[in-house]
Amino acid sequence: MTAVKTLGQFIIEKQADFPYAKGELSRLLRDIGIAAKIVNREVNKAGLVDILGDAGTMNVQGEGQKKLDVYANEQFISALRSGGECCVVASEENDECVYIESEISKNAKYIVAIDPLDGSSNIDVNVAIGTIFSIYRRQSSEGKPRISDVLQKGREQVAAGYVIYGSSTMLVYTTGKGVNGFTLDPSIGEFCLSHPNMRIPKDGKIYSINEGNYVHFPQGVKDYIKYCQEENADSGRPYTSRYTGSMVADIHRNLIKGGIFLYPVSSAYPKGKLRLVYECNPMAFILEQAGGVATDGVNRILDIVPDHLHQRSAIFLGSQNMVAKLSEFLTASGLTSYRIDKVISAP
Ligand code: AHM
Ligand code: MG
């Protein structure tokens, strides 16, 4: 019989990887894991209780908030507040940073950026949704944390992860030493290590993009989509198109099977739709740690300096060879100076 390793056990075991660690990051990850279980419980009840539908409020981007978005936001912030290791939470659902100023948090070193419930258009229709989080170490040494503590480059992340509430619930995270995935065993209420050392295949046959917006895409992206659809026995084309509208689900699938996820600029979203700080950066960190690549078409995602909290970015991420091929089309169309060979940094 194989011994089960829980998320809590795994986190403590890995603490030894960080000689300077005093357990704060481990406790922070534990707090996130606890909130994820509570959110999971409510997500699974959706439809049974009066929790579906609009909360009647708008978030900072003017998008309607669903009740579960609000609930998830409150749960994560509350877990981080009572955990004592986090001094600022930057959330998709809050216009401004939430500063945690309790007695137990007065020496807290960590900043958490979070999209508490991503893929909100899928909540009402039983399609997988997710939570995305990113953790930074505070740079300023005293007083109230500064906005520059929050607006660090993605490559400064000390940890990042996502939770997928799908056919099963999984938590996948990295601390910069590879990627590990844990599946929630509802019978014991624990995330258990199920996907150790996740690696994205170098090649893939899945492309994930909202093709309904095709007419608005940059030429290089249009050309790449046509390439994916062409018949070519040697490269296994045409590729398969898979897109749920939940970034976490689409990227999780591509991480396991090999593939590319694209959300380019378009006329509807001239700067891209997805948010750099709490959607693109954590996903880029995880994918790079799994051996993949993430770019906005010009820059490595993790090298972009954010200038505001809710900043949007185009994003292309996934299997190395697929992103490299896309880059060829972007370059040929004159869009980019991106050099994929400069950013491939598989651990
Ligand atoms: P959300 O944070 O409001 O849920 O939006 C983010 C989601 C991503 O999960 C997904 O990839 C994308 O929006 C889908 O957008 P679109 O419907 O334009 O394809
Ligand atoms: Mg989101």
Side-chain angles (χ1 to χ4, degrees), residues 2 34 37 195 202 223 255 261 265 281 286 311 333:
T2 328
I34 292 168
K37 285 196 260 185
H195 294 62
K202 277 208 158 114
D223 295 342
L255 167 56
F261 176 92
V265 296
N281 272 336
I286 295 163
Q311 180 170 337
S333 74

mmCIF file of all heavy atoms in Angstrom, residues 2 34 37 195 202 223 255 261 265 281 286 311 333:
data_model
loop_
_atom_site.group_PDB
_atom_site.id
_atom_site.type_symbol
_atom_site.label_atom_id
_atom_site.label_comp_id
_atom_site.label_asym_id
_atom_site.label_seq_id
_atom_site.Cartn_x
_atom_site.Cartn_y
_atom_site.Cartn_z
ATOM 1 N N THR A 2 0.575 2.201 -0.902
ATOM 2 C CA THR A 2 1.389 3.419 -0.940
ATOM 3 C C THR A 2 0.895 4.391 0.132
ATOM 4 O O THR A 2 -0.303 4.595 0.281
ATOM 5 C CB THR A 2 1.225 4.124 -2.312
ATOM 6 O OG1 THR A 2 1.003 3.143 -3.296
ATOM 7 C CG2 THR A 2 2.417 4.969 -2.646
ATOM 8 N N ILE A 34 -6.368 25.771 3.399
ATOM 9 C CA ILE A 34 -7.584 25.679 4.233
ATOM 10 C C ILE A 34 -8.725 26.467 3.578
ATOM 11 O O ILE A 34 -9.843 25.973 3.438
ATOM 12 C CB ILE A 34 -7.305 26.210 5.664
ATOM 13 C CG1 ILE A 34 -6.343 25.258 6.378
ATOM 14 C CG2 ILE A 34 -8.603 26.369 6.454
ATOM 15 C CD1 ILE A 34 -5.767 25.795 7.676
ATOM 16 N N LYS A 37 -10.288 24.684 0.699
ATOM 17 C CA LYS A 37 -11.223 23.600 1.060
ATOM 18 C C LYS A 37 -12.609 24.175 1.387
ATOM 19 O O LYS A 37 -13.628 23.584 1.048
ATOM 20 C CB LYS A 37 -10.681 22.814 2.261
ATOM 21 C CG LYS A 37 -9.545 21.890 1.868
ATOM 22 C CD LYS A 37 -9.274 20.867 2.934
ATOM 23 C CE LYS A 37 -8.097 21.266 3.783
ATOM 24 N NZ LYS A 37 -7.714 20.243 4.753
ATOM 25 N N HIS A 195 0.157 14.324 -8.110
ATOM 26 C CA HIS A 195 0.899 14.642 -9.331
ATOM 27 C C HIS A 195 2.262 15.228 -8.942
ATOM 28 O O HIS A 195 2.463 16.441 -9.003
ATOM 29 C CB HIS A 195 0.128 15.658 -10.183
ATOM 30 C CG HIS A 195 -1.164 15.147 -10.739
ATOM 31 N ND1 HIS A 195 -2.221 14.727 -9.943
ATOM 32 C CD2 HIS A 195 -1.581 14.989 -12.017
ATOM 33 C CE1 HIS A 195 -3.217 14.336 -10.718
ATOM 34 N NE2 HIS A 195 -2.856 14.494 -11.986
ATOM 35 N N LYS A 202 7.103 18.918 -24.079
ATOM 36 C CA LYS A 202 7.713 19.955 -24.935
ATOM 37 C C LYS A 202 6.851 20.247 -26.159
ATOM 38 O O LYS A 202 6.842 21.347 -26.681
ATOM 39 C CB LYS A 202 9.089 19.490 -25.404
ATOM 40 C CG LYS A 202 10.165 19.746 -24.388
ATOM 41 C CD LYS A 202 11.508 19.921 -25.085
ATOM 42 C CE LYS A 202 12.439 20.693 -24.192
ATOM 43 N NZ LYS A 202 13.576 19.952 -23.722
ATOM 44 N N ASP A 223 -2.490 33.726 -38.218
ATOM 45 C CA ASP A 223 -1.679 32.805 -39.029
ATOM 46 C C ASP A 223 -1.372 31.527 -38.239
ATOM 47 O O ASP A 223 -1.379 30.430 -38.783
ATOM 48 C CB ASP A 223 -0.366 33.481 -39.453
ATOM 49 C CG ASP A 223 -0.616 34.656 -40.389
ATOM 50 O OD1 ASP A 223 -1.728 34.737 -40.964
ATOM 51 O OD2 ASP A 223 0.291 35.503 -40.544
ATOM 52 N N LEU A 255 -1.106 21.718 -19.290
ATOM 53 C CA LEU A 255 0.068 21.356 -18.494
ATOM 54 C C LEU A 255 0.231 19.832 -18.469
ATOM 55 O O LEU A 255 1.327 19.296 -18.606
ATOM 56 C CB LEU A 255 -0.094 21.925 -17.072
ATOM 57 C CG LEU A 255 0.834 21.454 -15.959
ATOM 58 C CD1 LEU A 255 2.293 21.671 -16.305
ATOM 59 C CD2 LEU A 255 0.520 22.191 -14.656
ATOM 60 N N PHE A 261 -2.008 27.914 -24.589
ATOM 61 C CA PHE A 261 -3.153 28.759 -24.258
ATOM 62 C C PHE A 261 -2.843 30.155 -24.779
ATOM 63 O O PHE A 261 -1.738 30.669 -24.555
ATOM 64 C CB PHE A 261 -3.348 28.792 -22.733
ATOM 65 C CG PHE A 261 -4.442 29.718 -22.278
ATOM 66 C CD1 PHE A 261 -5.744 29.258 -22.113
ATOM 67 C CD2 PHE A 261 -4.175 31.060 -22.016
ATOM 68 C CE1 PHE A 261 -6.760 30.116 -21.694
ATOM 69 C CE2 PHE A 261 -5.187 31.924 -21.603
ATOM 70 C CZ PHE A 261 -6.485 31.449 -21.442
ATOM 71 N N VAL A 265 -4.082 40.330 -27.518
ATOM 72 C CA VAL A 265 -4.805 41.601 -27.592
ATOM 73 C C VAL A 265 -5.850 41.440 -28.693
ATOM 74 O O VAL A 265 -5.707 40.616 -29.592
ATOM 75 C CB VAL A 265 -3.862 42.793 -27.923
ATOM 76 C CG1 VAL A 265 -2.855 43.000 -26.815
ATOM 77 C CG2 VAL A 265 -3.159 42.588 -29.258
ATOM 78 N N ASN A 281 0.979 36.228 -14.110
ATOM 79 C CA ASN A 281 2.251 35.925 -13.443
ATOM 80 C C ASN A 281 2.253 34.573 -12.731
ATOM 81 O O ASN A 281 3.183 33.787 -12.916
ATOM 82 C CB ASN A 281 2.634 37.043 -12.463
ATOM 83 C CG ASN A 281 3.431 38.138 -13.157
ATOM 84 O OD1 ASN A 281 4.068 37.890 -14.183
ATOM 85 N ND2 ASN A 281 3.409 39.329 -12.606
ATOM 86 N N ILE A 286 4.255 28.972 -12.773
ATOM 87 C CA ILE A 286 3.991 27.528 -12.699
ATOM 88 C C ILE A 286 4.418 26.843 -13.998
ATOM 89 O O ILE A 286 5.119 25.830 -13.998
ATOM 90 C CB ILE A 286 2.488 27.266 -12.420
ATOM 91 C CG1 ILE A 286 2.115 27.789 -11.033
ATOM 92 C CG2 ILE A 286 2.151 25.786 -12.551
ATOM 93 C CD1 ILE A 286 0.619 27.955 -10.806
ATOM 94 N N GLN A 311 -3.627 45.710 -13.955
ATOM 95 C CA GLN A 311 -3.087 45.781 -15.318
ATOM 96 C C GLN A 311 -3.388 44.499 -16.103
ATOM 97 O O GLN A 311 -3.310 43.402 -15.573
ATOM 98 C CB GLN A 311 -1.570 45.939 -15.169
ATOM 99 C CG GLN A 311 -0.802 46.036 -16.452
ATOM 100 C CD GLN A 311 0.647 46.437 -16.146
ATOM 101 O OE1 GLN A 311 0.924 47.032 -15.097
ATOM 102 N NE2 GLN A 311 1.550 46.125 -17.042
ATOM 103 N N SER A 333 4.970 38.355 -38.752
ATOM 104 C CA SER A 333 3.955 39.397 -38.965
ATOM 105 C C SER A 333 4.459 40.758 -38.491
ATOM 106 O O SER A 333 3.745 41.752 -38.563
ATOM 107 C CB SER A 333 2.672 39.036 -38.214
ATOM 108 O OG SER A 333 2.850 39.240 -36.828
#
